[in-house]
Amino acid sequence: MAIAKITLSCSQCGNTFEHRKECRNRADADSHEAWAKENIDLCPACYRAQQQQRAQAAVLAALESHGITLPQLTGASDKQIAYAQSVRIRTLADSISMMDAYINFEAKAQKVSADPAFARQCEAHGLSVAEAITQARHARCLDKLHLALTAATARDILDNLN
C-alpha cells in the first residue's frame, strides 16, 4: 500500500492544503498525484461551499418552476437561522425529485378538505380533516418536505429535520 500525498493551492481562497489518498502501490499513488495536480483546485472548505451553492441554486430553480416561495426564517440568532437554512436546503435538495408528488398531493388535499363528505368520513374515524391530511402526507413520505417548505422558524427545522 502506498499513500498519494500532494500539497496544492486553492484557486479560490489561495490557502494551501494537502490531498491524501491510499493507493494499492507506488505507481497508482504517483498516477493519482499527477491526476490531483491537474484536477483538484479547491480546498475542502471551498469545495463544500461550492457544492452547497449548487444545491441551493438547484432547489431555488425547482421551487421557482413550481411557483413556491419559502417563508423567511426567524430564530434566536443569525447563526441558528443560517444553520437552519442549510438544513432546509439540504432536505429540499434530497427531496427535489418528490416535488411534483408534493405539489399534486397538496392540490388534491385542498380540494378534498372542502368536501363535506370527506369531513364526515374523517369524523367517523375520529379525525379532523387536518389530521387526516397530515396522516396521508406522512404515509406518502411527504411530511419532511412539507415542513421544509412551510416552516417559518429555525427551531421547527432544526428540531424536526436535523
Side-chain angles (χ1 to χ4, degrees):
M1 181 179 331
I3 295 179
K5 181 170 120 177
I6 185 169
T7 302
L8 301 165
S9 179
C10 181
S11 64
Q12 201 163 34
C13 68
N15 292 337
T16 58
F17 63 98
E18 186 173 86
H19 173 75
R20 298 173 55 106
K21 181 179 179 188
E22 288 185 16
C23 299
R24 293 169 142 200
N25 54 43
R26 186 73 249 159
D28 286 347
D30 291 340
S31 175
H32 185 75
E33 287 174 4
W35 174 87
K37 189 179 254 185
E38 294 295 320
N39 294 292
I40 298 177
D41 64 344
L42 295 176
C43 67
C46 290
Y47 179 76
R48 197 170 23 261
Q50 181 188 57
Q51 294 298 74
Q52 287 173 344
Q53 287 174 345
R54 285 181 181 169
Q56 184 170 358
V59 165
L60 293 177
L63 293 175
E64 187 177 315
S65 72
H66 290 293
I68 298 173
T69 57
L70 296 173
Q72 187 70 30
L73 289 178
T74 59
S77 68
D78 290 341
K79 189 175 179 180
Q80 181 192 39
I81 292 169
Y83 182 58
Q85 183 66 16
S86 70
V87 169
R88 172 193 259 175
I89 293 297
R90 187 175 58 235
T91 301
L92 291 172
D94 292 344
S95 304
I96 208 161
S97 63
M98 297 177 67
M99 195 70 68
D100 288 332
Y102 175 79
I103 299 295
N104 292 337
F105 175 83
E106 290 300 319
K108 288 178 184 174
Q110 192 172 14
K111 283 182 187 176
V112 167
S113 65
D115 183 10
F118 181 71
R120 285 192 298 275
Q121 282 181 328
C122 292
E123 263 183 44
H125 288 89
L127 297 170
S128 69
V129 171
E131 289 171 332
I133 291 172
T134 300
Q135 284 183 2
R137 189 182 293 122
H138 179 73
R140 289 167 178 80
C141 300
L142 297 172
D143 45 355
K144 286 191 176 201
L145 182 58
H146 178 73
L147 182 67
L149 291 170
T150 60
T153 65
R155 180 178 206 98
D156 285 342
I157 289 179
L158 296 176
D159 286 350
N160 297 300
L161 296 180
N162 199 10

